Amino acid sequence: MTLRILPKATLNTLPNCRSDIPERAINQWNPDVMASEGESGENTITILDPIGADWYGEGVTAKRISAALRRIGPNPVEVVINSPGGSFFEGLAIYNLLLEHKGEVTVKIIGMAASAASVIAMAADNLLMARASFLMIHNTWVMSAGDQHSFRDVADWLKPFDEAAVDIYHARTSIDRKKISAMLDKETWIGGTSAVDQGFADDLLSSDQVETNAQNSTELTPHAAQKKADLLLARSGVTKATRREIFAAMKGGTSRAALSSTSSAAVHEAATRLLTQINNI
């Protein structure tokens, strides 16, 4: 059990309603940031992708985290986070799993813990942040479909999740609930030093525990660029299979000798959609 007294989150689902990632979080996320060599032991869990696999294909799920915790057993665990967020509900499930872990939980935010990832981080007994890293907290974002009555139902359904987030952040920081709620309303970004000062984090990481694959941290490697492009395509509804074909074609080959005419048209449409999104960033 965690050394901290933190509230457990209640989970429920609503048909035709899914969490989404704010564009600013996607734009700010650098997938190249990772823990330095020697910082990842056998009891380390990495969260270096969006949260939830429903829309994002390769995201971090509660199922994966649960399996990792079973393997680790009742031993201390280290969780390394660089994630733009994703499914808030999957994030709450992971938060609960870490909260219930019998060993001490240390969380290291090495790049970003935005949205759902910031909630996961709150389950730590000891939360450490890189000086240049960020927490981002906001009200629950969702994509939904329906008439005016459905959207009123969605708003009512979302309120307890925002209240749960307020309770979680308040329990960790002791900041007044009304102030936390106001921070969620305006989408608040909190740097490493400020996070320590406000009680979201316990201390700063040493700089040698973080590294980036990019020679210039303002430039993405091809691997990171593909991750962000894949995320943008997924958000616009492009299937995982079509996304894989796009990237195979960009690398000069596909899993088959040539794309079928139907598949080729889908790839062209998806690529056009991606370029439009990139131009709008």
Side-chain angles (χ1 to χ4, degrees), residues 184-224:
L184 298 183
D185 284 342
K186 65 182 181 181
E187 183 183 303
T188 302
W189 290 76
I190 308 165
T193 300
S194 180
V196 173
D197 291 342
Q198 295 183 66
F200 287 95
D202 297 299
D203 207 347
L204 296 174
L205 286 169
S206 60
S207 59
D208 60 0
Q209 295 187 58
V210 182
E211 66 179 25
T212 176
N213 279 335
Q215 292 182 348
N216 184 336
S217 61
T218 63
E219 298 177 359
L220 297 178
T221 65
H223 169 262

mmCIF file of all heavy atoms in Angstrom, residues 184-224:
data_model
loop_
_atom_site.group_PDB
_atom_site.id
_atom_site.type_symbol
_atom_site.label_atom_id
_atom_site.label_comp_id
_atom_site.label_asym_id
_atom_site.label_seq_id
_atom_site.Cartn_x
_atom_site.Cartn_y
_atom_site.Cartn_z
ATOM 1 N N LEU A 184 -7.571 23.635 -13.121
ATOM 2 C CA LEU A 184 -8.067 22.696 -14.118
ATOM 3 C C LEU A 184 -8.865 23.426 -15.198
ATOM 4 O O LEU A 184 -8.760 23.105 -16.387
ATOM 5 C CB LEU A 184 -8.954 21.635 -13.463
ATOM 6 C CG LEU A 184 -8.324 20.719 -12.419
ATOM 7 C CD1 LEU A 184 -9.334 19.686 -11.946
ATOM 8 C CD2 LEU A 184 -7.100 20.024 -12.969
ATOM 9 N N ASP A 185 -9.646 24.416 -14.791
ATOM 10 C CA ASP A 185 -10.478 25.149 -15.743
ATOM 11 C C ASP A 185 -9.644 25.820 -16.829
ATOM 12 O O ASP A 185 -10.059 25.864 -17.990
ATOM 13 C CB ASP A 185 -11.300 26.219 -15.017
ATOM 14 C CG ASP A 185 -12.475 25.647 -14.253
ATOM 15 O OD1 ASP A 185 -12.866 24.499 -14.538
ATOM 16 O OD2 ASP A 185 -13.004 26.351 -13.359
ATOM 17 N N LYS A 186 -8.485 26.341 -16.470
ATOM 18 C CA LYS A 186 -7.702 27.113 -17.443
ATOM 19 C C LYS A 186 -6.562 26.325 -18.075
ATOM 20 O O LYS A 186 -5.776 26.882 -18.848
ATOM 21 C CB LYS A 186 -7.161 28.382 -16.797
ATOM 22 C CG LYS A 186 -6.143 28.148 -15.682
ATOM 23 C CD LYS A 186 -5.694 29.480 -15.075
ATOM 24 C CE LYS A 186 -4.655 29.275 -13.986
ATOM 25 N NZ LYS A 186 -4.220 30.542 -13.382
ATOM 26 N N GLU A 187 -6.466 25.010 -17.791
ATOM 27 C CA GLU A 187 -5.363 24.156 -18.278
ATOM 28 C C GLU A 187 -4.020 24.727 -17.820
ATOM 29 O O GLU A 187 -3.472 25.642 -18.428
ATOM 30 C CB GLU A 187 -5.379 24.024 -19.802
ATOM 31 C CG GLU A 187 -4.292 23.078 -20.324
ATOM 32 C CD GLU A 187 -4.241 22.980 -21.841
ATOM 33 O OE1 GLU A 187 -5.259 22.626 -22.447
ATOM 34 O OE2 GLU A 187 -3.174 23.275 -22.408
ATOM 35 N N THR A 188 -3.488 24.203 -16.773
ATOM 36 C CA THR A 188 -2.292 24.750 -16.134
ATOM 37 C C THR A 188 -1.073 23.873 -16.384
ATOM 38 O O THR A 188 -1.110 22.670 -16.162
ATOM 39 C CB THR A 188 -2.526 24.891 -14.612
ATOM 40 O OG1 THR A 188 -3.669 25.732 -14.394
ATOM 41 C CG2 THR A 188 -1.315 25.502 -13.931
ATOM 42 N N TRP A 189 0.019 24.529 -16.838
ATOM 43 C CA TRP A 189 1.306 23.853 -17.046
ATOM 44 C C TRP A 189 2.234 24.220 -15.900
ATOM 45 O O TRP A 189 2.399 25.398 -15.582
ATOM 46 C CB TRP A 189 1.916 24.281 -18.385
ATOM 47 C CG TRP A 189 1.161 23.747 -19.563
ATOM 48 C CD1 TRP A 189 -0.026 24.196 -20.050
ATOM 49 C CD2 TRP A 189 1.532 22.634 -20.393
ATOM 50 N NE1 TRP A 189 -0.424 23.443 -21.123
ATOM 51 C CE2 TRP A 189 0.505 22.487 -21.360
ATOM 52 C CE3 TRP A 189 2.620 21.776 -20.407
ATOM 53 C CZ2 TRP A 189 0.559 21.482 -22.339
ATOM 54 C CZ3 TRP A 189 2.675 20.784 -21.375
ATOM 55 C CH2 TRP A 189 1.643 20.640 -22.330
ATOM 56 N N ILE A 190 2.847 23.216 -15.289
ATOM 57 C CA ILE A 190 3.644 23.425 -14.085
ATOM 58 C C ILE A 190 5.035 22.842 -14.310
ATOM 59 O O ILE A 190 5.191 21.631 -14.505
ATOM 60 C CB ILE A 190 2.993 22.753 -12.863
ATOM 61 C CG1 ILE A 190 1.528 23.182 -12.733
ATOM 62 C CG2 ILE A 190 3.767 23.075 -11.594
ATOM 63 C CD1 ILE A 190 0.712 22.324 -11.788
ATOM 64 N N GLY A 191 6.057 23.693 -14.302
ATOM 65 C CA GLY A 191 7.434 23.244 -14.486
ATOM 66 C C GLY A 191 7.950 22.524 -13.253
ATOM 67 O O GLY A 191 7.338 22.559 -12.174
ATOM 68 N N GLY A 192 9.097 21.871 -13.391
ATOM 69 C CA GLY A 192 9.656 21.055 -12.326
ATOM 70 C C GLY A 192 9.828 21.790 -11.008
ATOM 71 O O GLY A 192 9.365 21.330 -9.957
ATOM 72 N N THR A 193 10.486 22.942 -11.033
ATOM 73 C CA THR A 193 10.747 23.690 -9.806
ATOM 74 C C THR A 193 9.449 24.145 -9.157
ATOM 75 O O THR A 193 9.263 24.031 -7.935
ATOM 76 C CB THR A 193 11.640 24.905 -10.098
ATOM 77 O OG1 THR A 193 12.892 24.447 -10.639
ATOM 78 C CG2 THR A 193 11.915 25.698 -8.837
ATOM 79 N N SER A 194 8.526 24.657 -9.986
ATOM 80 C CA SER A 194 7.244 25.112 -9.463
ATOM 81 C C SER A 194 6.439 23.953 -8.882
ATOM 82 O O SER A 194 5.749 24.105 -7.868
ATOM 83 C CB SER A 194 6.435 25.802 -10.566
ATOM 84 O OG SER A 194 5.188 26.243 -10.087
ATOM 85 N N ALA A 195 6.537 22.781 -9.515
ATOM 86 C CA ALA A 195 5.817 21.605 -9.024
ATOM 87 C C ALA A 195 6.307 21.218 -7.629
ATOM 88 O O ALA A 195 5.508 20.845 -6.753
ATOM 89 C CB ALA A 195 5.989 20.442 -9.981
ATOM 90 N N VAL A 196 7.611 21.302 -7.413
ATOM 91 C CA VAL A 196 8.164 21.014 -6.082
ATOM 92 C C VAL A 196 7.695 22.062 -5.081
ATOM 93 O O VAL A 196 7.261 21.739 -3.966
ATOM 94 C CB VAL A 196 9.705 20.955 -6.135
ATOM 95 C CG1 VAL A 196 10.278 20.824 -4.725
ATOM 96 C CG2 VAL A 196 10.174 19.797 -7.004
ATOM 97 N N ASP A 197 7.742 23.328 -5.491
ATOM 98 C CA ASP A 197 7.340 24.412 -4.591
ATOM 99 C C ASP A 197 5.871 24.299 -4.173
ATOM 100 O O ASP A 197 5.508 24.619 -3.041
ATOM 101 C CB ASP A 197 7.565 25.765 -5.265
ATOM 102 C CG ASP A 197 9.041 26.102 -5.438
ATOM 103 O OD1 ASP A 197 9.871 25.471 -4.751
ATOM 104 O OD2 ASP A 197 9.360 26.981 -6.261
ATOM 105 N N GLN A 198 5.022 23.825 -5.103
ATOM 106 C CA GLN A 198 3.582 23.751 -4.826
ATOM 107 C C GLN A 198 3.158 22.418 -4.201
ATOM 108 O O GLN A 198 2.002 22.267 -3.813
ATOM 109 C CB GLN A 198 2.786 23.978 -6.112
ATOM 110 C CG GLN A 198 2.948 25.365 -6.705
ATOM 111 C CD GLN A 198 2.073 25.552 -7.930
ATOM 112 O OE1 GLN A 198 0.843 25.561 -7.837
ATOM 113 N NE2 GLN A 198 2.683 25.712 -9.085
ATOM 114 N N GLY A 199 4.092 21.449 -4.138
ATOM 115 C CA GLY A 199 3.773 20.187 -3.499
ATOM 116 C C GLY A 199 3.317 19.085 -4.437
ATOM 117 O O GLY A 199 3.007 17.976 -3.984
ATOM 118 N N PHE A 200 3.259 19.371 -5.739
ATOM 119 C CA PHE A 200 2.915 18.313 -6.689
ATOM 120 C C PHE A 200 4.035 17.271 -6.751
ATOM 121 O O PHE A 200 3.776 16.085 -6.939
ATOM 122 C CB PHE A 200 2.682 18.893 -8.088
ATOM 123 C CG PHE A 200 1.402 19.650 -8.243
ATOM 124 C CD1 PHE A 200 1.363 21.032 -8.099
ATOM 125 C CD2 PHE A 200 0.212 18.986 -8.517
ATOM 126 C CE1 PHE A 200 0.177 21.737 -8.242
ATOM 127 C CE2 PHE A 200 -0.978 19.675 -8.663
ATOM 128 C CZ PHE A 200 -0.996 21.054 -8.520
ATOM 129 N N ALA A 201 5.275 17.720 -6.645
ATOM 130 C CA ALA A 201 6.442 16.836 -6.692
ATOM 131 C C ALA A 201 7.248 16.993 -5.414
ATOM 132 O O ALA A 201 7.132 18.006 -4.703
ATOM 133 C CB ALA A 201 7.297 17.139 -7.911
ATOM 134 N N ASP A 202 8.083 15.993 -5.133
ATOM 135 C CA ASP A 202 8.877 16.004 -3.896
ATOM 136 C C ASP A 202 10.267 16.584 -4.082
ATOM 137 O O ASP A 202 10.819 17.180 -3.158
ATOM 138 C CB ASP A 202 8.986 14.578 -3.344
ATOM 139 C CG ASP A 202 7.629 14.014 -2.968
ATOM 140 O OD1 ASP A 202 6.973 14.588 -2.086
ATOM 141 O OD2 ASP A 202 7.204 13.008 -3.575
ATOM 142 N N ASP A 203 10.836 16.384 -5.287
ATOM 143 C CA ASP A 203 12.198 16.869 -5.512
ATOM 144 C C ASP A 203 12.479 16.860 -7.008
ATOM 145 O O ASP A 203 11.702 16.312 -7.807
ATOM 146 C CB ASP A 203 13.212 15.993 -4.776
ATOM 147 C CG ASP A 203 14.485 16.739 -4.407
ATOM 148 O OD1 ASP A 203 14.694 17.865 -4.936
ATOM 149 O OD2 ASP A 203 15.277 16.207 -3.603
ATOM 150 N N LEU A 204 13.624 17.439 -7.370
ATOM 151 C CA LEU A 204 14.056 17.474 -8.764
ATOM 152 C C LEU A 204 15.017 16.330 -9.057
ATOM 153 O O LEU A 204 15.791 15.911 -8.193
ATOM 154 C CB LEU A 204 14.753 18.801 -9.076
ATOM 155 C CG LEU A 204 13.890 20.060 -8.978
ATOM 156 C CD1 LEU A 204 14.758 21.303 -9.173
ATOM 157 C CD2 LEU A 204 12.758 20.037 -9.994
ATOM 158 N N LEU A 205 14.952 15.831 -10.279
ATOM 159 C CA LEU A 205 15.913 14.826 -10.735
ATOM 160 C C LEU A 205 17.234 15.486 -11.076
ATOM 161 O O LEU A 205 17.279 16.647 -11.503
ATOM 162 C CB LEU A 205 15.388 14.132 -12.003
ATOM 163 C CG LEU A 205 14.255 13.119 -11.860
ATOM 164 C CD1 LEU A 205 13.724 12.761 -13.236
ATOM 165 C CD2 LEU A 205 14.764 11.872 -11.154
ATOM 166 N N SER A 206 18.313 14.741 -10.928
ATOM 167 C CA SER A 206 19.596 15.236 -11.415
ATOM 168 C C SER A 206 19.591 15.173 -12.942
ATOM 169 O O SER A 206 18.948 14.304 -13.543
ATOM 170 C CB SER A 206 20.747 14.405 -10.855
ATOM 171 O OG SER A 206 20.612 13.051 -11.250
ATOM 172 N N SER A 207 20.297 16.084 -13.596
ATOM 173 C CA SER A 207 20.264 16.180 -15.053
ATOM 174 C C SER A 207 20.803 14.932 -15.730
ATOM 175 O O SER A 207 20.433 14.622 -16.869
ATOM 176 C CB SER A 207 21.069 17.403 -15.516
ATOM 177 O OG SER A 207 22.414 17.308 -15.069
ATOM 178 N N ASP A 208 21.675 14.163 -15.050
ATOM 179 C CA ASP A 208 22.269 12.988 -15.693
ATOM 180 C C ASP A 208 21.312 11.799 -15.735
ATOM 181 O O ASP A 208 21.654 10.736 -16.245
ATOM 182 C CB ASP A 208 23.584 12.589 -15.013
ATOM 183 C CG ASP A 208 23.412 12.248 -13.529
ATOM 184 O OD1 ASP A 208 22.268 12.325 -13.038
ATOM 185 O OD2 ASP A 208 24.416 11.911 -12.898
ATOM 186 N N GLN A 209 20.089 11.961 -15.198
ATOM 187 C CA GLN A 209 19.106 10.882 -15.269
ATOM 188 C C GLN A 209 18.189 11.010 -16.478
ATOM 189 O O GLN A 209 17.300 10.189 -16.679
ATOM 190 C CB GLN A 209 18.261 10.851 -13.990
ATOM 191 C CG GLN A 209 19.065 10.495 -12.746
ATOM 192 C CD GLN A 209 18.178 10.319 -11.532
ATOM 193 O OE1 GLN A 209 17.278 9.497 -11.517
ATOM 194 N NE2 GLN A 209 18.446 11.101 -10.501
ATOM 195 N N VAL A 210 18.401 12.058 -17.287
ATOM 196 C CA VAL A 210 17.565 12.291 -18.455
ATOM 197 C C VAL A 210 18.451 12.487 -19.667
ATOM 198 O O VAL A 210 19.488 13.144 -19.601
ATOM 199 C CB VAL A 210 16.690 13.559 -18.265
ATOM 200 C CG1 VAL A 210 15.778 13.772 -19.467
ATOM 201 C CG2 VAL A 210 15.873 13.456 -16.985
ATOM 202 N N GLU A 211 18.036 11.898 -20.791
ATOM 203 C CA GLU A 211 18.766 12.117 -22.030
ATOM 204 C C GLU A 211 17.773 12.184 -23.178
ATOM 205 O O GLU A 211 16.602 11.845 -23.042
ATOM 206 C CB GLU A 211 19.789 11.008 -22.285
ATOM 207 C CG GLU A 211 19.184 9.645 -22.551
ATOM 208 C CD GLU A 211 20.256 8.593 -22.816
ATOM 209 O OE1 GLU A 211 21.394 8.765 -22.353
ATOM 210 O OE2 GLU A 211 19.921 7.605 -23.488
ATOM 211 N N THR A 212 18.234 12.659 -24.328
ATOM 212 C CA THR A 212 17.405 12.720 -25.524
ATOM 213 C C THR A 212 18.159 12.130 -26.688
ATOM 214 O O THR A 212 19.381 12.261 -26.784
ATOM 215 C CB THR A 212 16.976 14.168 -25.834
ATOM 216 O OG1 THR A 212 16.252 14.179 -27.073
ATOM 217 C CG2 THR A 212 18.169 15.087 -25.980
ATOM 218 N N ASN A 213 17.428 11.479 -27.586
ATOM 219 C CA ASN A 213 18.052 10.914 -28.781
ATOM 220 C C ASN A 213 18.462 11.984 -29.769
ATOM 221 O O ASN A 213 19.287 11.760 -30.648
ATOM 222 C CB ASN A 213 17.093 9.939 -29.470
ATOM 223 C CG ASN A 213 17.098 8.578 -28.807
ATOM 224 O OD1 ASN A 213 18.084 8.201 -28.172
ATOM 225 N ND2 ASN A 213 16.017 7.839 -28.933
ATOM 226 N N ALA A 214 17.830 13.145 -29.674
ATOM 227 C CA ALA A 214 18.112 14.201 -30.639
ATOM 228 C C ALA A 214 19.360 14.975 -30.236
ATOM 229 O O ALA A 214 19.569 15.281 -29.077
ATOM 230 C CB ALA A 214 16.920 15.156 -30.728
ATOM 231 N N GLN A 215 20.196 15.318 -31.217
ATOM 232 C CA GLN A 215 21.381 16.122 -30.918
ATOM 233 C C GLN A 215 20.967 17.515 -30.475
ATOM 234 O O GLN A 215 21.592 18.126 -29.623
ATOM 235 C CB GLN A 215 22.272 16.215 -32.159
ATOM 236 C CG GLN A 215 22.913 14.880 -32.529
ATOM 237 C CD GLN A 215 23.832 15.012 -33.719
ATOM 238 O OE1 GLN A 215 23.857 16.007 -34.414
ATOM 239 N NE2 GLN A 215 24.608 13.976 -33.953
ATOM 240 N N ASN A 216 19.916 18.034 -31.084
ATOM 241 C CA ASN A 216 19.357 19.314 -30.682
ATOM 242 C C ASN A 216 17.967 19.030 -30.123
ATOM 243 O O ASN A 216 17.104 18.518 -30.831
ATOM 244 C CB ASN A 216 19.261 20.257 -31.891
ATOM 245 C CG ASN A 216 18.766 21.642 -31.495
ATOM 246 O OD1 ASN A 216 18.104 21.807 -30.478
ATOM 247 N ND2 ASN A 216 19.073 22.625 -32.320
ATOM 248 N N SER A 217 17.718 19.331 -28.859
ATOM 249 C CA SER A 217 16.459 18.949 -28.217
ATOM 250 C C SER A 217 15.251 19.623 -28.852
ATOM 251 O O SER A 217 14.120 19.240 -28.599
ATOM 252 C CB SER A 217 16.514 19.283 -26.724
ATOM 253 O OG SER A 217 16.700 20.665 -26.526
ATOM 254 N N THR A 218 15.468 20.669 -29.690
ATOM 255 C CA THR A 218 14.343 21.311 -30.363
ATOM 256 C C THR A 218 13.992 20.604 -31.661
ATOM 257 O O THR A 218 13.011 20.948 -32.307
ATOM 258 C CB THR A 218 14.663 22.786 -30.666
ATOM 259 O OG1 THR A 218 15.775 22.857 -31.570
ATOM 260 C CG2 THR A 218 14.996 23.547 -29.390
ATOM 261 N N GLU A 219 14.795 19.636 -32.072
ATOM 262 C CA GLU A 219 14.543 18.910 -33.306
ATOM 263 C C GLU A 219 14.212 17.455 -32.975
ATOM 264 O O GLU A 219 14.873 16.825 -32.154
ATOM 265 C CB GLU A 219 15.766 18.967 -34.223
ATOM 266 C CG GLU A 219 16.131 20.385 -34.663
ATOM 267 C CD GLU A 219 17.391 20.403 -35.517
ATOM 268 O OE1 GLU A 219 17.956 19.309 -35.733
ATOM 269 O OE2 GLU A 219 17.783 21.481 -35.963
ATOM 270 N N LEU A 220 13.193 16.918 -33.656
ATOM 271 C CA LEU A 220 12.800 15.544 -33.426
ATOM 272 C C LEU A 220 13.613 14.590 -34.292
ATOM 273 O O LEU A 220 13.952 14.913 -35.428
ATOM 274 C CB LEU A 220 11.314 15.362 -33.757
ATOM 275 C CG LEU A 220 10.308 16.158 -32.926
ATOM 276 C CD1 LEU A 220 8.908 15.879 -33.439
ATOM 277 C CD2 LEU A 220 10.419 15.801 -31.465
ATOM 278 N N THR A 221 13.896 13.416 -33.757
ATOM 279 C CA THR A 221 14.467 12.358 -34.571
ATOM 280 C C THR A 221 13.365 11.791 -35.466
ATOM 281 O O THR A 221 12.170 11.996 -35.208
ATOM 282 C CB THR A 221 15.021 11.225 -33.693
ATOM 283 O OG1 THR A 221 13.917 10.620 -32.991
ATOM 284 C CG2 THR A 221 16.052 11.743 -32.705
ATOM 285 N N PRO A 222 13.728 11.046 -36.525
ATOM 286 C CA PRO A 222 12.690 10.401 -37.353
ATOM 287 C C PRO A 222 11.750 9.525 -36.537
ATOM 288 O O PRO A 222 10.544 9.485 -36.787
ATOM 289 C CB PRO A 222 13.524 9.580 -38.341
ATOM 290 C CG PRO A 222 14.800 10.348 -38.481
ATOM 291 C CD PRO A 222 15.075 10.884 -37.099
ATOM 292 N N HIS A 223 12.293 8.821 -35.533
ATOM 293 C CA HIS A 223 11.459 7.969 -34.676
ATOM 294 C C HIS A 223 10.407 8.788 -33.937
ATOM 295 O O HIS A 223 9.218 8.427 -33.886
ATOM 296 C CB HIS A 223 12.347 7.235 -33.671
ATOM 297 C CG HIS A 223 11.594 6.534 -32.581
ATOM 298 N ND1 HIS A 223 11.424 7.099 -31.330
ATOM 299 C CD2 HIS A 223 10.938 5.348 -32.561
ATOM 300 C CE1 HIS A 223 10.709 6.271 -30.581
ATOM 301 N NE2 HIS A 223 10.399 5.209 -31.295
ATOM 302 N N ALA A 224 10.828 9.919 -33.359
ATOM 303 C CA ALA A 224 9.893 10.752 -32.618
ATOM 304 C C ALA A 224 8.886 11.415 -33.548
ATOM 305 O O ALA A 224 7.703 11.532 -33.214
ATOM 306 C CB ALA A 224 10.659 11.816 -31.834
#
